[in-house]
């Protein structure tokens, strides 16, 4: 039976979602828990790789397993075998053909920015602290240029053999108490795309780049013109939507 | 010159605020940073001890220091010498007689409860996860019995030589997105008082104790009748107010 599970993790301690030979990954940790539960080596497929230090509240994974008990008991069994920084939130049976990467219609990421003179120790692992105020209206104006189907080469590189065209459905800045949150949804993302977009939009927010220049950088398809890459710890994969 | 500083810390890695001989404490870590900045051994006084694992967003401390530069430069100098889980938020000159414990008029604590079937890895260090729904109205009704000047022996023990009478000014449950927050303000607190109150109020929230029984437990001045002590990691010292 193929299962589909929604996973949340704190990426602080992991070198990304994807299994690596010499470093801890979310995927390998999930596979270890699955092996403990099933007594068998199982492989897990995710909806997307998250970089080292990036979090998830709605990553979707799939795996095949011969499980004789209730599906709800499988969730509990996995969670007791996982470290507390990874949790299986939901689990259900899926079609044998279900593939979390190929079947995903969109991915949504949220980036949290905290602007204050001093960082907040309680949020240091989940927000990008900037000791400057930001012009959110200007960042929003610039972000709206992202919506549509474009070559996003200015903000990231595609996997080998793929092109850089992606469709951004939503790109929005919101004030949330004393934080500023960027929500972006696209059919798929290039490597580091969200973090490079955020890094560049923050330059707009500081008044050092206009929204029109941001639009020109997007149109230029030139990775040398965008701003710095925002740090990974502000970023969370929040939703993966399927057909 | 005496300085007064507002401090925030993530208590996860510390055995409480107060210096201990064999374990890391917030106080000793602050004193080390102060010694690095001043080249001198300095001692720090806090407004209150927080237990091991308890956080603070508004602890107030005082210390004496011979500092020749601007006060704002002292904040920066301390922060670069502190680990990222402790931050000096504000700093200012104080009267030579200022004492953060004796001069404090009230302390405010917040306790965060997260109710969902599965814990959230991104909030595991800052919320008490309960896999049950809670009756917030019942918890609020019970909490209102706390307001006033009472002997709080049922919920904690006083320091040696002190009595257990305290004045609770505010005790309120609020829904905050998908969390439930308890805010309590008192002139001072007994050892573990907030956590024992929260542990008992959660029993009310689960429908296993009435608000009237809660009131009777308070009146009984009997520590054997209250509920379990809520875990430290949900608790944050948020505000200390002064005369």
């Amino acid at each position: 039976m193929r299962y589909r599970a929604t996973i949340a993790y704190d990426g602080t301690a992991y070198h990304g979602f994807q299994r690596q030979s010499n470093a801890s990954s979310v995927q390998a940790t999930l596979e270890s828990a699955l092996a403990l539960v099933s007594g068998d080596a199982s492989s897990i497929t995710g909806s997307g790789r998250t970089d080292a230090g990036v979090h998830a509240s709605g990553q979707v994974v799939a795996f095949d397993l011969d499980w004789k008990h209730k599906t709800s008991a499988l969730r509990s069994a996995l969670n007791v075998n996982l470290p507390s920084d990874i949790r299986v939130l939901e689990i259900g049976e899926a079609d044998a053909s279900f593939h979390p990467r190929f079947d995903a219609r969109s991915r949504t990421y949220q980036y949290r920015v905290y602007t204050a003179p001093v960082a907040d120790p309680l949020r240091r692992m989940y927000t990008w602290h900037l000791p400057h105020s930001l012009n959110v209206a200007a960042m929003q104006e610039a972000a709206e240029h992202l919506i549509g189907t474009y070559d996003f080469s200015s903000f990231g590189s595609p996997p080998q053999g793929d092109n850089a065209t992606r469709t951004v459905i939503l790109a929005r800045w919101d004030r949330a108490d004393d934080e500023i949150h960027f929500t972006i949804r696209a059919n798929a993302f290039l490597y580091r795309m969200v973090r490079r977009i955020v890094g560049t939009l923050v330059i707009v927010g500081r008044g050092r780049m206009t929204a029109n220049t941001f639009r020109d950088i997007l149109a230029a398809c030139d990775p040398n013109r965008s701003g710095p890459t925002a740090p990974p710890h502000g970023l969370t994969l929040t939703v993966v939507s399927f057909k």
Side-chain angles (χ1 to χ4, degrees), chain A residues 11-39:
Chain A
T12 307
Y14 298 96
H15 293 262
F17 178 80
Q18 195 173 41
R19 198 186 317 106
Q20 309 209 352
S21 49
N22 292 314
S24 66
S25 68
V26 176
Q27 185 180 22
T29 309
L30 283 166
E31 287 172 350
S32 298
L34 204 56
L36 283 167
V37 161
S38 69

Side-chain angles (χ1 to χ4, degrees), chain A residues 31-215:
Chain A
E31 287 172 350
S32 298
L34 204 56
L36 283 167
V37 161
S38 69
D40 236 345
S42 305
S43 83
I44 278 184
T45 314
S47 295
R49 307 171 182 184
T50 50
D51 293 344
V54 171
H55 315 293
S57 60
Q59 168 77 280
V60 175
V61 303
F63 53 87
D64 294 317
L65 186 72
D66 185 23
W67 180 253
K68 292 175 183 66
H69 315 284
K70 282 186 184 170
T71 308
S72 61
L74 176 56
R75 181 175 75 177
S76 304
L78 286 169
N79 281 331
V80 298
N81 285 294
L82 283 167
S84 64
D85 56 4
I86 304 180
R87 278 291 169 269
V88 178
L89 302 181
E90 289 176 18
I91 196 161
E93 298 180 356
D95 286 347
S97 68
F98 174 69
H99 193 291
R101 188 159 83 250
F102 302 140
D103 293 352
R105 195 183 52 195
S106 74
R107 283 91 173 159
T108 306
Y109 282 89
Q110 186 186 61
Y111 199 99
R112 292 171 60 185
V113 175
Y114 175 59
T115 63
V118 177
D120 181 352
L122 298 170
R123 289 182 270 185
R124 71 192 187 287
M125 295 183 292
Y126 311 107
T127 60
W128 183 18
H129 169 248
L130 291 169
H132 330 283
S133 65
L134 295 174
N135 182 338
V136 178
M139 293 196 294
Q140 179 60 36
E141 187 192 341
E144 283 165 13
H145 292 301
L146 296 164
I147 294 167
T149 302
Y150 301 109
D151 180 319
F152 282 95
S153 298
S154 293
F155 297 110
S157 37
Q160 241 184 345
D162 192 7
N163 64 47
T165 300
R166 299 291 185 272
T167 300
V168 172
I169 305 150
L170 173 75
R172 194 179 68 210
W173 287 94
D174 293 295
R175 291 195 178 275
D177 297 324
D178 55 1
E179 296 180 12
I180 308 166
H181 294 172
F182 182 59
T183 306
I184 185 164
R185 182 176 302 138
N187 65 332
F189 288 91
L190 303 173
Y191 182 61
R192 299 222 166 149
M193 179 170 155
V194 183
R195 290 164 58 197
R196 294 190 65 179
I197 286 173
V198 169
T200 311
L201 288 173
V202 159
I203 295 177
V204 174
R206 295 193 65 187
R208 298 178 177 184
M209 181 190 289
T210 66
N212 281 342
T213 302
F214 182 86
R215 182 198 59 203

